[in-house]
Coordinates of all heavy atoms in Angstrom, one line a residue:
R213 N 283.3 0.0 198.2 CA 284.0 -1.1 197.7 C 283.5 -2.4 198.4 O 283.3 -3.4 197.7 CB 285.5 -1.0 197.8 CG 286.1 0.1 196.9 CD 287.6 -0.1 196.9 NE 288.2 -0.1 198.2 CZ 288.6 1.0 198.8 NH1 288.5 2.2 198.2 NH2 289.2 1.0 200.0
Y214 N 283.3 -2.3 199.7 CA 282.8 -3.5 200.4 C 281.4 -3.9 200.0 O 281.1 -5.1 199.8 CB 282.9 -3.2 201.9 CG 282.4 -4.4 202.8 CD1 283.2 -5.5 203.0 CD2 281.1 -4.3 203.3 CE1 282.8 -6.5 203.8 CE2 280.7 -5.4 204.1 CZ 281.5 -6.5 204.3 OH 281.0 -7.5 205.1
S215 N 280.6 -2.9 199.8 CA 279.2 -3.2 199.4 C 279.2 -3.8 198.0 O 278.4 -4.8 197.7 CB 278.4 -1.9 199.3 OG 278.3 -1.3 200.6
R216 N 280.0 -3.3 197.1 CA 280.1 -3.9 195.8 C 280.6 -5.4 195.8 O 280.1 -6.3 195.1 CB 281.0 -3.0 194.8 CG 280.4 -1.7 194.4 CD 281.2 -1.2 193.3 NE 282.6 -0.8 193.6 CZ 283.0 0.3 194.1 NH1 282.1 1.3 194.3 NH2 284.2 0.5 194.4
R217 N 281.6 -5.6 196.6 CA 282.1 -7.0 196.8 C 281.0 -7.9 197.4 O 280.8 -9.1 196.9 CB 283.3 -7.0 197.6 CG 284.6 -6.4 197.0 CD 285.8 -6.9 197.7 NE 285.8 -6.4 199.1 CZ 286.4 -5.3 199.5 NH1 287.0 -4.5 198.7 NH2 286.3 -4.9 200.8
L218 N 280.3 -7.4 198.4 CA 279.2 -8.2 199.0 C 278.1 -8.4 198.0 O 277.6 -9.6 197.9 CB 278.7 -7.4 200.3 CG 277.6 -8.1 201.0 CD1 278.1 -9.4 201.6 CD2 277.1 -7.2 202.2
D219 N 277.7 -7.4 197.2 CA 276.6 -7.6 196.2 C 277.1 -8.6 195.2 O 276.3 -9.5 194.8 CB 276.3 -6.3 195.5 CG 275.6 -5.3 196.5 OD1 275.1 -5.8 197.5 OD2 275.6 -4.1 196.2
A220 N 278.4 -8.6 194.8 CA 278.9 -9.5 193.8 C 278.9 -11.0 194.3 O 278.5 -11.9 193.7 CB 280.3 -9.1 193.3
R221 N 279.2 -11.1 195.6 CA 279.2 -12.4 196.2 C 277.8 -12.9 196.4 O 277.6 -14.1 196.1 CB 279.9 -12.3 197.6 CG 280.1 -13.7 198.3 CD 280.9 -13.6 199.5 NE 280.2 -12.8 200.5 CZ 280.7 -12.5 201.7 NH1 281.9 -12.9 202.0 NH2 280.0 -11.8 202.6
L222 N 276.9 -12.1 196.8 CA 275.5 -12.6 196.9 C 274.9 -12.9 195.5 O 274.2 -13.9 195.4 CB 274.6 -11.4 197.5 CG 274.9 -11.2 199.0 CD1 274.1 -10.0 199.5 CD2 274.6 -12.4 199.8
A223 N 275.3 -12.1 194.5 CA 274.9 -12.5 193.1 C 275.4 -13.8 192.7 O 274.7 -14.6 192.0 CB 275.3 -11.4 192.1
R224 N 276.7 -14.1 193.0 CA 277.3 -15.4 192.6 C 276.5 -16.5 193.4 O 276.3 -17.6 192.8 CB 278.8 -15.4 192.9 CG 279.6 -14.6 192.0 CD 281.1 -14.9 192.2 NE 281.6 -14.6 193.5 CZ 282.1 -13.4 193.8 NH1 282.1 -12.4 193.0 NH2 282.5 -13.2 195.1
Q225 N 276.2 -16.3 194.6 CA 275.5 -17.3 195.4 C 274.1 -17.6 194.8 O 273.7 -18.7 194.7 CB 275.4 -16.8 196.9 CG 276.7 -16.9 197.6 CD 276.6 -16.3 199.1 OE1 275.6 -15.8 199.4 NE2 277.7 -16.5 199.9
R226 N 273.4 -16.5 194.4 CA 272.1 -16.7 193.8 C 272.2 -17.5 192.5 O 271.4 -18.3 192.2 CB 271.4 -15.3 193.6 CG 270.9 -14.7 194.9 CD 270.0 -13.5 194.6 NE 270.7 -12.4 193.8 CZ 271.3 -11.4 194.5 NH1 271.3 -11.3 195.7 NH2 271.9 -10.5 193.8
E227 N 273.2 -17.1 191.8 CA 273.4 -17.8 190.4 C 273.7 -19.2 190.7 O 273.2 -20.1 190.0 CB 274.6 -17.1 189.7 CG 274.7 -17.6 188.3 CD 275.9 -16.9 187.5 OE1 276.4 -15.9 188.1 OE2 276.3 -17.4 186.5
A228 N 274.5 -19.5 191.7 CA 274.9 -20.9 192.0 C 273.7 -21.7 192.4 O 273.4 -22.9 192.1 CB 276.0 -21.0 193.0
E229 N 272.8 -21.0 193.2 CA 271.5 -21.6 193.7 C 270.7 -22.0 192.6 O 270.0 -23.0 192.5 CB 270.9 -20.8 194.8 CG 269.6 -21.3 195.3 CD 269.8 -22.6 196.1 OE1 270.9 -22.9 196.6 OE2 268.8 -23.3 196.3
Q230 N 270.5 -21.0 191.6 CA 269.7 -21.2 190.5 C 270.2 -22.4 189.6 O 269.4 -23.2 189.1 CB 269.6 -19.9 189.6 CG 268.9 -18.8 190.3 CD 269.0 -17.5 189.5 OE1 269.7 -17.4 188.5 NE2 268.3 -16.5 190.0
R231 N 271.5 -22.5 189.5 CA 272.1 -23.6 188.7 C 271.8 -24.9 189.4 O 271.5 -25.9 188.8 CB 273.6 -23.4 188.5 CG 273.9 -22.3 187.5 CD 275.4 -22.4 187.0 NE 276.3 -22.4 188.1 CZ 276.9 -21.2 188.5 NH1 276.6 -20.1 187.9 NH2 277.8 -21.2 189.5
R232 N 271.9 -24.9 190.7 CA 271.7 -26.1 191.5 C 270.2 -26.6 191.3 O 269.9 -27.8 191.1 CB 272.0 -25.9 193.0 CG 271.9 -27.2 193.8 CD 272.1 -26.8 195.3 NE 270.9 -26.1 195.8 CZ 269.8 -26.7 196.3 NH1 269.7 -28.0 196.3 NH2 268.9 -25.9 196.8
R233 N 269.3 -25.6 191.4 CA 267.9 -25.9 191.3 C 267.6 -26.5 189.9 O 266.8 -27.4 189.7 CB 267.0 -24.7 191.5 CG 266.9 -24.3 193.0 CD 266.1 -23.1 193.2 NE 266.0 -22.8 194.7 CZ 265.0 -23.2 195.4 NH1 264.1 -24.0 194.9 NH2 264.9 -22.9 196.7
A234 N 268.2 -25.8 188.8 CA 268.0 -26.3 187.5 C 268.5 -27.7 187.3 O 267.9 -28.5 186.6 CB 268.7 -25.3 186.5
A235 N 269.6 -28.0 187.9 CA 270.2 -29.3 187.8 C 269.3 -30.4 188.5 O 269.0 -31.4 187.9 CB 271.6 -29.4 188.4
L236 N 268.7 -30.0 189.6 CA 267.8 -30.9 190.3 C 266.5 -31.1 189.5 O 266.0 -32.2 189.5 CB 267.5 -30.4 191.7 CG 268.7 -30.4 192.7 CD1 268.3 -29.7 194.0 CD2 269.1 -31.9 193.0
E237 N 266.1 -30.1 188.9 CA 264.9 -30.2 188.1 C 265.1 -31.1 186.9 O 264.2 -31.9 186.5 CB 264.4 -28.8 187.6 CG 263.8 -27.9 188.7 CD 263.5 -26.6 188.2 OE1 263.7 -26.3 187.0 OE2 263.1 -25.7 189.0
Q238 N 266.3 -31.0 186.3 CA 266.6 -32.0 185.2 C 266.7 -33.4 185.7 O 266.2 -34.3 184.9 CB 268.0 -31.6 184.6 CG 268.0 -30.3 183.9 CD 267.2 -30.4 182.5 OE1 267.1 -31.4 182.0 NE2 266.6 -29.3 182.2
I239 N 267.1 -33.6 187.0 CA 267.2 -34.9 187.4 C 265.8 -35.5 187.7 O 265.4 -36.6 187.4 CB 268.1 -35.1 188.7 CG1 269.5 -34.7 188.3 CG2 268.1 -36.4 189.4 CD1 270.5 -34.5 189.5
F240 N 265.0 -34.7 188.5 CA 263.7 -35.2 189.0 C 262.6 -34.9 188.0 O 261.4 -35.3 188.3 CB 263.4 -34.7 190.4 CG 264.4 -35.2 191.4 CD1 265.4 -34.4 191.8 CD2 264.3 -36.5 191.8 CE1 266.3 -34.8 192.8 CE2 265.2 -36.9 192.8 CZ 266.2 -36.1 193.3

Side-chain angles (χ1 to χ4, degrees):
R213 291 194 302 270
Y214 179 79
S215 297
R216 287 195 296 269
R217 288 197 300 267
L218 184 60
D219 291 342
R221 186 173 65 185
L222 292 175
R224 289 194 298 269
Q225 289 176 351
R226 287 194 296 268
E227 185 179 350
E229 179 65 19
Q230 289 172 358
R231 288 198 300 267
R232 187 186 70 84
R233 287 177 176 272
L236 290 175
E237 288 175 2
Q238 289 292 328
I239 294 172
F240 295 104

